[in-house]
Amino acid sequence: RFIAKPCALGLKVQANGPQKAQPNAILEKVFTAITKHPDEKRLEGLSKQLDWDVRSIQRWFRQRRNQEKPSTLTKFCESMWRFTFYLYIFTYGVRFLKKTPWLWNTRQCWNGYPYQPLMPDLHYYYIVELSFYWSLMFSQFIDIKRKDFGIMFTHHIVTVTLITFSYVTNLTRVGTLTLCLHDAADVVLEAAKMANYCKCQKLSDLLFLTFAIVFIVSRLGIYPLWILNTTLFELYEALGNFPALWVFNVLLVILQILHCFWSYLIIKAAYKAISKGKVAKDDRSDIESSSDEEETVPRSKTPHSTITTNGTGSANGTNGYLTGGTCSEEH
């Protein structure tokens, strides 16, 4: 509110949200009481009732859904907050781990286990990270719902469980390595989002491709070869079999499965960026595109008139888009 918003306004980030749908009592009643995603049969019924073509009704519902989403300014402020946190905690983690013997020799994670002292710096690192992921898990229900809501919620549950479990069982040394490794890519991702909201397309593209490289190298390369290797093999060699080992490793493997899913989405987006010359729309985008659903329903044979049965017609058209008497093919 006091830092991110002035920065956003200084960078000329738009404060207005998505375009609002034209007021329409009948469609509003359907939207609020029946469905936000009408099927083909309902669309055709509304088309006959309002004398609108199907595409215009689809467009109205899309605009109505989008108008509840936050503005670019709000999203910029959220990304700036996350960028600030990730940058701070990643820097803190690197500075802390540079002083530890287990950064370059992961077998040191198990020396003297479980009688390893809990250093104040390590305790602070853990508590701050745990607090942040708890906040993400709860705020996800009041933030915009993205397409991978279920995957992200699973990720937050696994992360909070991992941090808590490793803290309780004193598996904190390898936990610090895992936390620092995961924060590296998130810093670049939030920076790429901010550049996109500022309409710095070239910078956004560069940061996104950098994020893709950092994410894939860290999550599909370093994580399994460094973290999973020590928890699956070195831990077993050093301490033998015990129940916490299996619980800990199951949670880490679930995290790796999520990494593979996200890497697929990132590689797909990166491929589009290279083939088309710019970064494609994020698959997790919260704002629906102008053509999301328009091809799923056949066009109405008769374009609607600007004079409608419920009195919403005007010189500006029935849904805030049209300026003439018909819905043009180009539009």
Side-chain angles (χ1 to χ4, degrees):
R1 180 176 302 171
F2 301 109
I3 299 174
K5 188 174 181 179
C7 289
L9 295 176
L11 293 168
K12 294 181 171 44
V13 175
Q14 293 182 356
N16 58 310
Q19 186 171 3
K20 293 186 178 181
Q22 181 83 7
N24 185 295
I26 295 176
L27 296 180
E28 184 68 27
K29 184 177 180 180
V30 173
F31 182 87
T32 55
I34 303 176
T35 179
K36 297 181 180 181
H37 298 271
D39 55 20
E40 181 178 348
K41 184 177 180 180
R42 191 176 299 279
L43 286 170
E44 290 176 353
L46 290 169
S47 176
K48 293 177 181 178
Q49 183 179 359
L50 299 175
D51 194 25
W52 289 20
D53 71 17
V54 171
R55 288 175 66 90
S56 296
I57 297 174
Q58 284 180 308
R59 190 176 297 113
W60 187 95
F61 274 93
R62 184 172 55 255
Q63 287 182 325
R64 183 64 182 82
R65 290 191 296 269
N66 283 342
Q67 77 181 44
E68 297 181 349
K69 306 297 172 64
S71 65
T72 304
L73 177 64
T74 302
K75 292 188 287 184
F76 178 91
C77 293
E78 180 189 30
S79 289
M80 187 170 182
W81 144 241
R82 293 194 183 192
F83 171 79
T84 304
F85 174 82
Y86 285 130
L87 181 62
Y88 164 73
I89 204 66
F90 176 69
T91 304
Y92 180 90
V94 170
R95 292 184 62 187
F96 167 72
L97 288 170
K98 281 198 306 182
K99 301 180 291 185
T100 62
W102 61 84
L103 175 60
W104 303 111
N105 182 9
T106 52
R107 291 184 182 274
Q108 291 290 329
C109 292
W110 321 119
N111 283 353
Y113 182 84
Y115 305 106
Q116 297 170 341
L118 183 62
M119 296 177 288
D121 290 349
L122 191 153
H123 176 262
Y124 171 78
Y125 190 23
Y126 250 72
I127 293 302
V128 172
E129 287 274 19
L130 181 60
S131 303
F132 179 71
Y133 280 105
W134 268 113
S135 73
L136 288 186
M137 189 165 68
F138 286 118
S139 64
Q140 193 176 21
F141 292 99
I142 58 176
D143 289 341
I144 54 174
K145 266 199 173 182
R146 300 182 186 273
K147 294 179 182 179
D148 65 346
F149 174 85
I151 298 294
M152 283 301 298
F153 185 69
T154 303
H155 172 266
H156 296 331
I157 290 287
V158 172
T159 303
V160 168
T161 306
L162 259 174
I163 296 174
T164 305
F165 184 79
S166 62
Y167 185 85
V168 170
T169 56
N170 209 26
L171 295 166
T172 51
R173 292 187 176 183
V174 73
T176 57
L177 298 177
T178 307
L179 289 170
C180 190
L181 182 66
H182 280 72
D183 290 334
D186 292 328
V187 176
V188 188
L189 174 61
E190 297 303 331
K193 287 182 180 180
M194 288 193 295
N196 182 51
Y197 298 146
C198 293
K199 297 185 178 179
C200 300
Q201 190 62 46
K202 290 184 179 179
L203 178 60
S204 177
D205 293 352
L206 177 62
L207 288 171
F208 175 78
L209 294 176
T210 303
F211 159 73
I213 294 169
V214 172
F215 186 95
I216 292 169
V217 170
S218 62
R219 309 289 177 93
L220 298 188
I222 299 175
Y223 179 79
L225 296 177
W226 192 36
I227 304 297
L228 291 182
N229 177 66
T230 191
T231 58
L232 288 171
F233 303 109
E234 294 177 355
L235 174 56
Y236 184 81
E237 291 173 7
L239 302 172
N241 189 15
F242 61 101
L245 179 149
W246 295 105
V247 176
F248 192 52
N249 279 307
V250 166
L251 292 171
L252 290 172
V253 169
I254 292 174
L255 208 55
Q256 180 61 26
I257 294 171
L258 296 176
H259 294 164
C260 293
F261 172 76
W262 280 317
S263 295
Y264 162 73
L265 295 180
I266 292 168
I267 291 170
K268 186 169 72 170
Y271 173 76
K272 290 179 181 178
I274 295 171
S275 61
K276 295 183 179 180
K278 66 176 183 177
V279 173
K281 186 174 177 63
D282 183 1
D283 281 338
R284 300 180 57 225
S285 176
D286 45 283
I287 300 298
E288 299 177 51
S289 67
S290 59
S291 59
D292 270 353
E293 301 153 344
E294 292 180 357
E295 298 305 323
T296 61
V297 180
R299 293 172 181 265
S300 173
K301 292 182 180 180
T302 307
H304 71 277
S305 169
T306 55
I307 302 175
T308 60
T309 56
N310 65 344
T312 57
S314 67
N316 292 327
T318 57
N319 63 351
Y321 268 110
L322 305 180
T323 55
T326 61
C327 179
S328 69
E329 288 292 332
E330 181 183 359
H331 182 70

